[in-house]
Amino acid sequence: MTRQALWGAHGHPAAATGDDPVDLPGTSDVVVVGAGITGLAAALQVAATGRSVTVLEARRAGSGTTGRSTAKLSVLQGTRLSSIARQHPADVVSSYVEANQAAQRWLLELCERLEVPVQRRAAVTYATSSAGARTVRRELEVARSAGLAVDWIERDDDLPFPITGAVRLQDQAQVDPAALVTAMVREARALGVRVVEGVRVTRVAGQDPVRVVSSAGEVDADLVVVATGTPILDRGAFFGRQTAQRSYSVAFRTPLPAVAGMYLAADQPSRSLRDVPDRAEGPVLLVGGAGHPTGRVREHAVRLDELRAWTAEWFPDAEELAAWSAQDYEPARQLPFAGPVLPGADRIWVMGGFAKWGMTNGPAAAMALAGRLAGDAPSWAETLHPWRLRELRAAPQLVHDNAAVGFEMARGWIRPWAAGRGRVCPHLGGVVRWNDAEESWDCPLHGSRFDRAGAVLDGPAVRDLRRLPGARPA
Ligand SMILES: Cc1cc2nc3c(=O)[nH]c(=O)nc-3n(C[C@H](O)[C@H](O)[C@H](O)COP(=O)(O)OP(=O)(O)OC[C@H]3O[C@@H](n4cnc5c(N)ncnc54)[C@H](O)[C@@H]3O)c2cc1C
Ligand code: FES
């Protein structure tokens, strides 16, 4: 297995963008932490308001989830709309749709202007069981009520397997996320944004100014935007409002274009399908799925084998090119968030909770911020605000999610102690598990990840692994 996403296998996302020297400005109107789709969209949109912007990225731009994404730019998002409708009234679902439509428009215009190739495709959520068909019918109804021009299909001759029904939204889009990130970094630099890679932010403190402390020094800012996937700040306890989920992707060369649409199964085990055209290797099929909460399973590599076996059954001529996994965060309240880290703390914004749909929700979060700064926030921005009363409605789900965290905490400490070994996550003391697919240490509590040597990869942790007190070297 390569562990390298298809997109990066032919040049790292940031390889073509060059490097600013690690020489931080002492002050910047705005500091954005994280250079994925969300941070870069925020940087571009805030720079357009005339403010000076510095982006601090721990690794390389796009090296987080964005550079490993399936990168469908779709407003029909599996069964997301009916999941939101289970917890929120219809006007909230409509606002969510509007936010994603606005972000999709912004992104498509940007791609056109920056000459990033985009393919127009229908998005399809399909079922293969009768229970799944009922779920998909519900998605159809919710999507129609929210104003989307979706239709119902009974069969799809494009797929090699039978379906029991599907909801379809025409004229959505897909992109190569590495090409997109590279173009966004170039554009940001052309607008005067400093994009500094290889700088990890370890602390954000104070209010006026806000001081950003990093591995390369400090920057004072009027506003800090934390776009690190899950926020690296413990304030606001966003790590407890969402669950980290890992899922897997395998890219295959196929003799002919394998699928003409962007598919997502409503049934379990879920499968995501899309094509990747215009590759030197010939037509490419992308298969995704087999997800699980980060750090809470013993074996990871078997998940990729599950996708390989499924593909061999339905696309027997497919030949593997790359296999990898990635992480995103499922919010308990089903909605993404973009707003102050604490009520009234308007100088530190956090963005996240995209539930594997951040390619449009990330830019939507950025638009909410830029609108706020320009004094004309879109009406849907309110839906993303993390501190509305509506938050309380997520309380039962939060109790459930955090009970799972408590269970993992206890189990994690008892087992390795009994065995005399173990490594502790520096975030809040979770005992990490070895991930044989990514060769990383993954924390089952809030999804921090560390490389083989213990260096931090993904937050909320900002420091390296520690050994369990009294533990022998592994
Ligand atoms: C398998 C999979 C498939 C997906 N497919 C789709 C799809 O088809 N369509 C869709 O809309 N969405 C999809 N998503 C979701 C989407 O890719 C993500 O929601 C989105 O990329 C998140 O972007 P981001 O910028 O918020 O986070 P990231 O891309 O993870 O960027 C965060 C950045 O912050 C940096 N960082 C972290 N900590 C620090 C620190 N302390 N200091 C400085 N920098 C730091 C990281 O290195 C990283 O580069 C998928 C997700 C997965 C897992
Ligand atoms: S990520 Fe919170 S304890 Fe490890």
Side-chain angles (χ1 to χ4, degrees):
M1 191 190 90
T2 64
R3 286 200 299 277
Q4 173 82 54
L6 176 80
W7 321 113
H10 300 270
H12 187 278
T17 61
D19 283 306
D20 280 347
V22 181
D23 150 28
L24 301 184
T27 61
S28 181
D29 292 340
V30 179
V31 170
V32 176
V33 188
I37 183 85
T38 310
L40 292 172
L44 288 176
Q45 297 190 19
V46 171
T49 69
R51 290 165 170 84
S52 62
V53 181
T54 302
V55 180
L56 302 181
E57 163 57 46
R59 292 182 275 167
R60 304 298 299 261
S63 61
T65 306
T66 302
R68 306 170 83 79
S69 177
T70 313
K72 302 169 181 169
L73 313 179
S74 178
V75 183
L76 177 67
Q77 303 173 344
T79 54
R80 191 103 285 274
L81 300 181
S82 37
S83 300
I84 295 172
R86 269 197 292 279
Q87 285 194 30
H88 300 278
D91 63 311
V92 170
V93 181
S94 299
S95 287
Y96 178 86
V97 165
E98 273 177 61
N100 277 269
Q101 286 172 321
Q104 188 193 51
R105 273 196 302 276
W106 178 81
L107 213 45
L108 291 176
E109 279 165 23
L110 185 78
C111 287
E112 191 175 345
R113 192 158 52 77
L114 303 183
E115 298 180 354
V116 178
V118 162
Q119 299 88 43
R120 291 296 191 150
R121 298 282 187 270
V124 181
T125 305
Y126 69 90
T128 49
S129 70
S130 49
R134 285 194 293 280
T135 306
V136 175
R137 281 259 180 223
R138 173 83 183 125
E139 187 68 15
L140 174 85
E141 285 158 18
V142 176
R144 275 203 181 132
S145 306
L148 288 179
V150 282
D151 60 349
W152 176 260
I153 47 177
E154 293 286 341
R155 48 181 285 179
D156 190 329
D157 294 335
D158 185 35
L159 292 175
F161 47 83
I163 62 170
T164 50
V167 52
R168 178 175 61 184
L169 183 63
Q170 299 283 7
D171 206 25
Q172 302 304 292
Q174 61 183 26
V175 70
D176 172 336
L180 177 59
V181 163
T182 302
M184 288 174 89
V185 171
R186 274 207 196 100
E187 174 72 356
R189 287 183 169 147
L191 289 173
V193 174
R194 290 177 80 119
V195 182
V196 190
E197 298 176 303
V199 172
R200 185 167 291 277
V201 171
T202 51
R203 204 153 64 88
V204 179
Q207 269 292 310
D208 187 15
V210 187
R211 178 153 296 172
V212 179
V213 181
S214 80
S215 52
E218 298 177 353
V219 188
D220 285 346
D222 291 335
L223 171 69
V224 174
V225 181
V226 179
T228 50
T230 194
I232 53 163
L233 308 179
D234 286 348
R235 266 164 289 168
F238 286 87
F239 57 81
R241 291 191 191 193
Q242 48 183 7
T243 308
Q245 296 279 342
R246 277 208 91 69
S247 52
Y248 299 80
S249 302
V250 188
F252 300 91
R253 185 203 328 261
T254 53
L256 294 169
V259 288
M262 305 185 299
Y263 292 90
L264 190 55
D267 291 287
Q268 293 299 326
S270 185
R271 295 287 176 261
S272 161
L273 301 173
R274 65 162 275 194
D275 74 314
V276 187
D278 307 326
R279 300 277 307 189
E281 305 92 329
V284 172
L285 168 70
L286 216 59
V287 179
H292 59 80
T294 302
R296 296 188 196 171
V297 296
R298 284 192 173 283
E299 293 178 320
H300 298 75
V302 291
R303 310 274 162 162
L304 287 162
D305 292 339
E306 182 188 323
L307 294 182
R308 290 178 178 121
W310 183 88
T311 309
E313 183 180 358
W314 297 111
F315 300 90
D317 296 327
E319 190 188 320
E320 183 170 328
L321 293 171
W324 67 96
S325 73
Q327 182 152 315
D328 213 13
Y329 301 86
E330 299 278 346
R333 69 174 191 138
Q334 300 299 331
L335 290 171
F337 52 84
V341 67
L342 284 172
D346 280 339
R347 287 167 178 262
I348 305 176
W349 269 50
V350 288
M351 298 175 173
F354 300 138
K356 298 197 196 119
W357 291 103
M359 296 304 294
T360 46
N361 278 302
M367 291 171 95
L369 171 65
R372 167 80 184 253
L373 294 178
D376 64 348
S379 56
W380 49 256
E382 200 50 21
T383 306
L384 310 183
H385 197 292
W387 297 105
R388 291 286 167 261
L389 269 184
R390 174 175 61 230
E391 287 300 309
L392 297 174
R393 295 204 185 117
Q397 186 60 40
L398 280 178
V399 169
H400 174 270
D401 291 354
N402 285 302
V405 166
F407 173 73
E408 290 295 337
M409 177 84 158
R411 182 164 76 160
W413 276 76
I414 290 163
R415 279 200 187 145
W417 232 333
R421 60 176 191 274
R423 287 159 187 256
V424 181
C425 174
H427 177 230
L428 292 176
V431 176
V432 295
R433 291 224 177 105
W434 181 244
N435 172 340
D436 57 343
E438 291 289 328
E439 298 193 353
S440 61
W441 297 98
D442 296 359
C443 180
L445 267 52
H446 314 112
S448 288
R449 296 179 55 250
F450 307 84
D451 72 11
R452 179 182 275 277
V456 62
L457 293 171
D458 291 318
V462 290
R463 300 192 189 283
D464 298 344
L465 268 185
R466 295 172 303 170
R467 205 170 287 288
L468 201 63
R472 300 190 301 267

